[in-house]
Each structure stands twice: as C-alpha cells, then as structure tokens.
C-alpha cells in the first residue's frame, strides 16, 4: 500500500474568546492511499476547504449543540470539495468529485460517505461547492425563500451582507422584486453591495453612531424581512424598525460567538406588538431541498444573473489565519482555502 505524508490542521485545545492561529497548529501523519478490504468508507484528496463562522462554536466544549465540538488533538473538520481516490461505497467511484464534511488535511477517510454530495455539474468552478453551490447557497435559499416567504415590493434588510450567505440573499431578494439594503464593515464591501451585487442601498455599520437611526434612514417605511447574521445590538435596532407581520430568518449571530457572556436584546416585546415571526434554522435539516436549489440556481449562474465573490487563500497552512479572519471581517466574500487544485 502506498503511504504518503498527510499535513493536518488540528485543534490544540478548547478556545475561550477570540480564536487565534496558534489554537490551530499544523502537524503531519502518514496515510495509506488504499482503503482496507471490505471498508465502505471513501478516501479523498481534499481540494478546497470552506471557512465558516459556525465553526467557532465547535472550537469550544459544548453539550447539546446541534453540531459536535471538535476534538482537541484531532484535525478540524468542515465543508470542503474533494476528489475520490478510493471507495468502498457503491455511490462513489475513483475520480468522482464530491462536497461535504471533510478534514482540514490533505487526505481524508470519510467514514460516513452517505453525507457527501456527488458533484454532477463541473462546468462551474469546483470551489463554488464550498459556498454558492454548497452549504452557504442552500442557507441563503432556504432562509430567504422558505422561511421569509418574500413578496414582490417588500423591504428587505441583510446584515453581514458581503459574506458568503448575505451576498446571495440580497441577490435573491432583488430577483424577487424586493427593495434591499445591506450592511457591512468596510467601504470596499459597501461599494460591492451597491455596485456588484445590486443592493438598492448599503451602509457601513462601524460608521453609524446609532444603528436604529441608520435603519430608519434606509427604511423610512420600515422593514418586512430581516435576514439575521449578526445578533446583539443589530437585532435590537432592527426590531425597532420592523413593520407589522414582519419575518426574521435567524441564520447566525456572529457578534456573539466570541463573547464570554452574550448580549441581551431589550425590546423583544415588539415581537408581540408588531406580530413578528422570528425563526431560527439549521441548514442540515433542509438538504432534501438541494436538488430543487440546484435547478433554481445553476441557470441563474449560467445566465450571469448571480454574481459570487470568493476570497481565496492558497495552501492548507493558510487555513487558520483565514478562519480567524472571519471574526474581524477580514474576508471579502466567501472564504475559501485551496489545498490542491487537482
């Protein structure tokens, strides 16, 4: 059996507060490039890895979460795109491209291959399956269409709008005929929202003294739909500006992930008086809709109606800095790590 070196990024120990690159050292082991006889696993070569904010929760010890904590001393895992080198599973064969949960390492053995998606459409960039055609795209689609149930002419607000999910929500909303405003944390991102993604308006939340007033300025008639990625003070400001019977899809709350103690929201009674609906969702519950999503989004990509920006770093060793950068807003668009191009 051919044995090769396998570079890996491991979690050193559980993390409190902001994660640091030093929490994720690089190490090396050896791996056989052939599965043992009778295995029903899949052996893959990892090509592209996805950096996602939800991974911060997995770096802390938590009981009863929707996703298990990482194991200190073991490789970090996350969404990625890979090429099958050997397969003991009837659904996959050598040479197939797949996306799904894999290790932060050069080669991985996937012991639950039924969780992988086989990539059928390869005339789009393979890296898109870390985001636009993977978990982030599905998150935008389900959160916006299924949970918010948009109607033409409604007023839509997206926070963290230049990220992997937000950039898509805004474009889906425009395709629906909605009025869309997004917020982001740099002038560069605000310009992208307006000039590249087609948002009607955008603002830099870091330059606003009063978020409630900023939203009032952007939405003099109030907000029908809020796609929630931030939480905390932003959610409080949004609640003050929601219209009657508004809908909030709670996708994430990145402002809270690194706090020792979460911030409270003081005006929740507005949920009652404005008859608001706030619904949280976890995309893993909705993957049965993936074929429908692909039918919807592939034609839009090929017609140039969806624009998707990736922030790409090269090399497995770049992954820790890329992941840490999400929490200071360093990335512009979907954060992707290239492990190997083929």
């Amino acid at each position: 059996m051919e044995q090769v070196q396998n570079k890996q990024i491991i979690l050193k120990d559980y993390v409190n507060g902001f994660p640091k690159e030093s929490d994720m050292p690089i190490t090396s082991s050896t791996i056989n490039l052939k599965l043992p006889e009778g295995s029903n696993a899949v052996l893959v070569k990892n090509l592209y890895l996805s950096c996602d904010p939800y991974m911060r929760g997995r770096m802390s010890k938590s009981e009863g979460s929707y996703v298990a904590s990482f194991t200190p001393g073991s490789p970090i895992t996350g969404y990625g795109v890979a090429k099958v080198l050997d397969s003991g599973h009837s659904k996959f064969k050598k040479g197939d491209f797949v996306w799904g949960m894999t290790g932060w390492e050069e080669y991985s053995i996937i012991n639950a291959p039924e969780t992988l998606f086989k990539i059928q459409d390869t005339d789009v960039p393979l890296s898109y399956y870390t985001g636009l055609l993977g978990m982030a795209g599905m998150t935008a689609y389900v959160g916006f269409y299924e949970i918010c149930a948009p109607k033409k002419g409604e007023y839509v607000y997206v926070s963290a709008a230049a990220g992997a999910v937000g950039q898509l929500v805004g474009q889906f909303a425009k395709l629906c005929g909605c009025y869309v405003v997004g917020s982001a944390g740099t002038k560069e991102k605000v310009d992208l929202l307006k000039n590249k993604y087609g948002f009607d308006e955008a603002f830099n939340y870091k330059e606003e003294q009063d978020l409630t007033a900023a939203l009032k300025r952007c939405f003099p008639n109030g907000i029908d739909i809020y796609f929630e990625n931030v939480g905390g003070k932003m959610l409080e400001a949004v609640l003050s500006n929601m219209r009657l019977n508004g809908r909030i899809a709670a996708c994430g709350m990145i402002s809270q992930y690194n706090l020792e103690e979460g911030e409270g929201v003081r005006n929740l009674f507005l949920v009652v008086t404005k008859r608001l609906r706030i619904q949280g969702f976890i995309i893993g519950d909705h993957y049965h809709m993936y074929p429908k999503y692909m039918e919807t989004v592939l034609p839009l990509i090929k017609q140039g109606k969806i624009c998707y920006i990736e922030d790409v770093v090269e090399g497995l060793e770049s992954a820790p800095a890329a992941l840490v950068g999400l929490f200071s807003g360093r990335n512009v668009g979907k954060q992707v790590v290239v492990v190997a191009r083929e």
Side-chain angles (χ1 to χ4, degrees):
M1 285 191 183
E2 189 194 348
Q3 276 212 338
V4 294
Q5 288 293 112
N6 188 24
K7 271 195 298 190
Q8 301 174 307
I9 305 286
I10 62 167
L11 181 69
K12 193 163 151 189
D13 204 352
Y14 291 125
V15 173
N16 291 310
F18 270 85
K20 306 179 294 298
E21 287 176 56
S22 57
D23 294 321
M24 296 170 273
I26 191 157
T27 181
S28 189
S29 64
T30 57
I31 188 169
N32 285 324
L33 291 187
K34 197 97 184 81
L35 291 167
E37 206 60 51
S39 167
N40 73 339
V42 171
L43 172 72
V44 298
K45 178 181 182 180
N46 292 311
L47 304 178
Y48 301 95
L49 299 176
S50 173
C51 294
D52 297 295
Y54 82 90
M55 296 172 76
R56 171 62 189 85
R58 302 190 69 189
M59 299 173 90
S60 298
K61 191 171 178 61
S62 60
E63 304 293 329
S65 174
Y66 72 96
V67 62
S69 297
F70 294 135
T71 305
S74 294
I76 285 171
T77 56
Y79 284 98
V81 173
K83 187 174 187 176
V84 176
L85 298 183
D86 193 16
S87 173
H89 193 282
S90 57
K91 190 175 154 192
F92 303 101
K93 63 182 191 304
K94 184 177 179 178
D96 284 346
F97 291 104
V98 295
W99 75 270
M101 275 288 168
T102 189
W104 275 31
E105 53 193 353
E106 291 174 292
Y107 303 93
S108 293
I109 293 171
I110 313 292
N111 288 309
E114 60 281 358
T115 63
L116 295 174
F117 294 84
K118 189 188 289 193
I119 293 174
Q120 311 285 2
D121 205 299
T122 52
D123 58 355
V124 291
L126 279 176
S127 59
Y128 276 13
Y129 290 91
T130 66
L132 171 57
L133 297 176
M135 184 268 282
M138 276 291 290
T139 301
Y141 178 78
V142 168
F144 185 63
Y145 289 109
E146 297 296 311
I147 290 171
C148 295
K151 295 189 275 294
K152 187 177 178 179
E154 288 194 309
Y155 298 100
V156 177
Y157 173 51
V158 186
S159 56
V165 175
Q167 57 172 304
L168 288 171
V169 175
Q171 293 177 80
F172 290 156
K174 287 308 297 173
L175 289 168
C176 272
C178 297
Y179 178 84
V180 190
V181 178
S183 59
T186 67
K187 182 185 183 306
E188 178 193 7
K189 291 179 183 180
V190 168
D191 290 345
L192 275 178
L193 292 176
K194 292 194 282 194
N195 304 325
K196 191 91 174 163
Y197 301 135
F199 283 62
D200 295 288
E201 193 51 71
F203 65 91
N204 182 344
Y205 69 89
K206 291 177 182 171
E207 292 178 352
E208 300 293 343
Q209 298 298 310
D210 182 341
L211 288 172
T212 304
L215 289 170
K216 182 75 180 161
R217 184 180 75 232
C218 294
F219 294 100
N221 300 313
I223 299 166
D224 293 298
I225 289 172
Y226 173 42
F227 199 97
E228 164 67 303
N229 290 312
V230 170
K233 294 180 177 66
M234 183 64 83
L235 178 56
E236 195 167 278
V238 168
L239 288 173
S240 296
N241 282 279
M242 290 296 288
R243 294 168 62 134
L244 289 188
N245 301 305
R247 288 89 72 206
I248 297 175
C251 169
M253 298 193 177
I254 197 169
S255 72
Q256 306 299 295
Y257 296 166
N258 297 304
L259 302 180
E260 296 286 328
E261 193 177 329
E263 294 173 321
V265 174
R266 296 167 300 180
N267 55 352
L268 275 175
F269 187 58
L270 291 172
V271 175
V272 178
T273 59
K274 296 184 176 190
R275 293 74 132 181
L276 304 179
R277 181 160 62 80
I278 304 179
Q279 185 177 338
F281 68 104
I282 299 298
I283 198 56
D285 300 339
H286 300 273
Y287 278 136
H288 60 278
M289 296 181 64
Y290 185 64
K292 183 181 167 193
Y293 172 63
M294 290 295 277
E295 278 174 29
T296 304
V297 82
L298 276 172
L300 294 173
I301 296 168
K302 289 170 183 177
Q303 292 159 23
K305 290 183 177 173
I306 290 280
C307 158
Y308 198 65
I309 291 180
E310 296 178 315
D311 190 324
V312 178
V313 298
E314 296 280 342
L316 183 64
E317 60 285 349
S318 306
L323 181 58
V324 169
L326 292 179
F327 303 103
S328 58
R330 196 166 63 199
N331 58 303
V332 178
K334 170 70 206 165
Q335 186 67 69
V336 181
V337 178
V338 182
V339 183
R341 297 242 173 224
E342 256 291 329

